Structures are given as C-alpha cells and as structure tokens.
Amino acid sequence: MLPFNKPPFTGKEFEYMRQALDNRKICGDGEFTKKCSRWLERKFNIRKALLTTSCTHALEMTAILANIQPGDEVIAPSFTFVSTVNAFVLRGAKVKFVDIRPDTMNLNEQLIEAAITPKTKAIIPVHYAGVACEMDTIMAIAKKYHLLVIEDAAQGVMSSYKGRALGSIGDMGTFSFHETKNYTMGEGGAILLNNSNHIERAEIIREKGTDRSKFFRGQVDKYSWCDIGSSYLPSELNAAYLWAQLETVHEINNDRLKSWHRYNSALSDLAKRGDIELPFIPEHCTHNAHMFYLKVANLEIRSRLIEALKRQGIDAVFHYIPLHSAKAGLIHGNFVGEDKYTTVESARLLRLPMYYGLKESDVMMLLDVINDFYGI
Ligand SMILES: *Cc1c(COP(=O)(O)O)cnc(C)c1O
C-alpha cells in the first residue's frame, strides 16, 4: 500500500510535547507558541506571525481585519480549497471568481482588473502547490484600486517569489500546518501581518475579542471585551509538535524536493511524447515540493489512471471541484469572464503521493505503473 500522504514526524515531537506538559502550561501562547511565531517572523521576514488553530481560522481573522461587510466583494480563484472563500462569505461577502492560468493553475493576474467593482475589498491569491502567483502585478493592481491583498499561502511555507517568502508579500498572509501540509501540528496555521494597524487588532480578535495578550504582558491591569473575536489560538501541545518540525525544516524540504525531482525527471519522456503535462515553475520562483501533480489528456483518462494505480495499491488523488460550480458557490459567488481553464484543467489534474520520507523504491514502482499505463 502506498498512501497519498503521511503526516511528517521527525523524532523530537514527543520530547517537546512532554516538555510542554512539564511546563504545566498546555493552553495557548506558552513557550513553544512563542518560539514558533518568532521563528516564522525571522525566517520569512514578517512583522507579526500569530499561530492559529487552522489556516481556515487564520483566513477568518483576515476577513475580520479587512472589515468585510455584507455586500462587499472579494476576488479569488475558483480552483482552490473552500476555506479560501468561506472566510469572507461568513462576513457576508460575495466572491468574484476569476479564471486561472493553465501553466501554474494560479489566479490569472491579467483578469483581476475586469472583476473589480466599487464593492471590491480584497484580492485573495492562492499559491497553488507552493508555486507563487504573479505578486508584482497583483500588488500593483491592489495599490491602484486601494484593495487589500490577502495571500492564501496554506501550501506555500518555504516557497518564494523573487526572493520573498510567500505569505510575506501581501497586506496579510496565512499558512496551514494541517497534517497534509509540509510542516504540521495536526490542526493549525498562522496569520502573517505586515501592516502595523492590523497587528494589535489581530491579537484581540484571536483572544475572544479581549486585550488578554496585553494583560499577560503587563501592559494593562485588567482585560476586557474590546472587539468582535473568537478563540483562534492553538494549544501548546500542538505548538510543541510544530517546533520539532520547524527545527528540521531543511531536512523535510530537501527530502520532499528530492522526491519531486525524481518524479519530474522520470516523467519527462511521457511529457515529451505529449501524453502528460508536468508542473511549471516560473524562473523567479522557488517552490517547496508541496505537491507533485501531472495533467493527463482528459477526465476519462484520469479516472482510468487512478484505477490502474489503485490496483497496485497506490493512492493518487485529484482536487478541487471548482468552487463556482459547487452548490454553495452558486449562492455565494459568480464567475467573472470566461471559464476557459478552471473547469477543463482541474478535470485532468492528478496528484501523486508526496510526503516526507517517501521512498525512492516506491516512487520507482509507481512510475512503472504509469509507464505501463501509457505502454512504454
Ligand atoms: C489546506 C488549505 C487550507 C486550509 O488549511 P487548514 O489548516 O486545514 O484550515 C486553505 N487553503 C488552501 C489553499 C489549502 O490548501
């Protein structure tokens, strides 16, 4: 059996979780949470990083910080995970879905301007597979129309665009540390803030709408209800797990990249024959091997290839069903312009197993099945 994903575990997680227990502080914002957030700030050059209970929750915080009101609009790709847009819909926004570029599967930056109306508040680029959107163009459009840019960098930890970390470029960014992502804490994430106006308010929103963070720092002598908010801070046990992962970030990253390049070079013959297409990485981007996907000719071939792999015990999966055509998508948003690539390209994309510790022999076995399928 070759699973699609295995949650990363590098060895120190138990020890750090035990330390968190020994510290007699297992609720949020203890030593491990502080270590992780400081690490993220330094490593990725971010003014403020706050750990959250998920990337979904980090996105919800960005929607509150952006003051999204009923009737406001946000611009996002339809080819993404539901959380990217749910966060804004929860505040009453409508989603304007824009087509993707077929090469990176990211929001097509050339189509954003046509989707802007007087109600538009934010652009939400999603860095699919940890490969950057065209951030220079997106930031320039946002500046011209006074919009916020909120990066969904759930998949982009350790990736960069022109030397800058994904998640650190827009007004706000979010990371995911779910067990299916490159670095994990089970369930968890982070909100990344570059605008000083957002930082103090984010601490309050994350602490149930109170200034409890200031209270713990001794900056106020009692804490009280200051704003709307919720409980978005993770337990120290989760942060302790994450700390072990961040300490071994290069080991995990290099291991994933090795598997990624193994797939990419072994499949190049099939790509040359035109049977499949391989991922495209723009020259000014570095990526984190979050995902290895290939694109086959059409939906029918994809289903047959998934079956062929399954018969050999290999779990390969696809995603996403475009949001604009889903039940909730029809209610809460609409597609602007032509759906030239979103539906067609998503139907032919197939993700291969990718995780820390994926064995070379397993990759080779899988490649044999794919080559067999195409008769080479
Ligand atoms: C995984 C993912 C999320 C959600 O992350 P959680 O931490 O599970 O809430 C959001 N957006 C994208 C693009 C993702 O891949």
Side-chain angles (χ1 to χ4, degrees):
M1 229 358 247
L2 184 55
F4 173 70
N5 177 59
K6 275 188 196 171
F9 179 82
T10 60
K12 286 273 190 80
E13 286 84 352
F14 282 138
E15 187 185 323
Y16 292 156
M17 288 170 82
R18 177 181 292 277
Q19 270 181 38
L21 289 168
D22 288 343
N23 291 347
R24 294 280 180 270
K25 177 156 171 86
I26 56 172
C27 68
D29 283 343
E31 285 310 307
F32 284 104
T33 302
K34 283 184 195 135
K35 273 187 184 173
C36 291
S37 34
R38 237 171 266 142
W39 188 94
L40 293 171
E41 287 161 4
R42 287 201 189 123
K43 180 87 182 163
F44 301 128
N45 196 20
I46 293 160
R47 283 188 67 180
K48 189 79 185 174
L50 296 168
L51 289 195
T52 57
T53 31
S54 64
C55 180
T56 300
H57 281 163
L59 285 159
E60 287 181 24
M61 286 181 65
T62 69
I64 297 172
L65 286 167
N67 285 319
I68 299 293
Q69 304 294 320
D72 286 349
E73 294 173 4
V74 299
I75 296 171
S78 170
F79 182 70
T80 184
F81 188 59
V82 291
S83 296
T84 309
V85 300
N86 250 336
F88 300 91
V89 169
L90 278 168
R91 316 289 330 146
K94 288 277 180 209
V95 188
K96 297 290 163 181
F97 294 111
V98 164
D99 208 8
I100 52 169
R101 300 160 45 133
D103 57 355
T104 55
M105 304 296 283
N106 280 333
L107 184 68
N108 184 339
E109 68 281 358
Q110 303 300 335
L111 303 175
I112 292 172
E113 224 164 338
I116 295 173
T117 75
K119 291 178 178 170
T120 309
K121 287 285 149 61
I123 306 168
I124 327 292
V126 180
H127 304 297
Y128 183 68
V131 179
C133 297
E134 263 318 311
M135 290 308 290
D136 280 352
T137 310
I138 294 172
M139 294 307 289
I141 295 169
K143 197 168 172 204
K144 183 171 163 193
Y145 292 92
H146 305 290
L147 306 176
L148 288 168
V149 174
I150 300 168
E151 296 177 75
D152 181 343
Q155 304 176 6
V157 185
M158 290 290 279
S159 292
S160 71
Y161 171 82
K162 297 189 181 175
R164 300 167 71 188
L166 301 193
S168 77
I169 304 166
D171 299 276
M172 303 181 226
T174 63
F175 284 156
S176 173
F177 299 119
H178 185 260
E179 73 163 36
T180 52
K181 301 302 199 288
N182 293 27
Y183 313 98
T184 188
M185 53 199 283
E187 299 276 357
I191 181 169
L192 319 166
L193 303 165
N194 289 314
N195 183 332
S196 52
N197 297 332
H198 294 144
I199 292 173
E200 190 172 331
R201 190 163 176 229
E203 283 188 339
I204 290 168
I205 292 165
R206 180 169 166 271
E207 269 281 23
K208 298 94 180 160
T210 72
D211 52 359
R212 195 149 99 174
S213 300
K214 269 190 178 168
F215 173 73
F216 285 135
R217 285 196 299 259
Q219 292 166 337
V220 288
D221 57 8
K222 57 182 182 320
Y223 69 87
S224 63
W225 188 24
C226 314
D227 199 341
I228 60 168
S230 189
S231 189
Y232 290 128
L233 68 164
S235 145
E236 271 290 282
L237 289 171
N238 298 66
Y241 193 103
L242 181 63
W243 181 242
Q245 306 258 304
L246 297 182
E247 273 194 338
T248 48
V249 79
H250 293 290
E251 186 185 320
I252 295 176
N253 198 39
N254 291 339
D255 181 81
R256 294 184 77 108
L257 283 165
K258 212 187 284 169
S259 298
W260 194 97
H261 287 293
R262 218 167 250 152
Y263 277 134
N264 201 51
S265 52
L267 290 167
S268 63
D269 283 344
L270 275 180
K272 277 193 206 105
R273 281 171 32 141
D275 289 321
I276 62 169
E277 267 176 55
L278 295 175
F280 168 70
I281 315 292
E283 223 156 76
H284 51 276
C285 299
T286 66
H287 74 104
N288 58 0
H290 172 62
M291 189 188 302
F292 191 89
Y293 69 83
L294 50 92
K295 288 197 260 177
V296 300
N298 55 46
L299 179 61
E300 193 244 312
I301 292 178
R302 182 175 76 180
S303 307
R304 286 205 285 121
L305 182 52
I306 289 175
E307 272 312 306
L309 289 162
K310 190 163 279 164
R311 278 196 295 276
Q312 304 303 319
I314 299 161
D315 196 14
V317 303
F318 62 84
H319 70 173
Y320 305 100
I321 308 295
L323 297 180
H324 73 281
S325 55
K327 188 176 155 199
L330 294 168
I331 299 168
H332 300 296
N334 67 283
F335 207 92
V336 180
E338 188 193 348
D339 172 9
K340 202 165 166 189
Y341 296 113
T342 298
T343 301
V344 179
E345 295 298 301
S346 64
R348 59 194 202 96
L349 183 141
L350 181 65
R351 303 170 63 189
L352 301 180
M354 173 59 78
Y355 48 82
Y356 170 67
L358 177 59
K359 287 201 205 90
E360 181 173 6
S361 56
D362 284 336
V363 170
M364 293 308 165
M365 184 264 293
L366 183 153
L367 291 164
D368 282 346
V369 180
I370 296 182
N371 284 332
D372 261 4
F373 181 82
Y374 283 104
I376 63 166

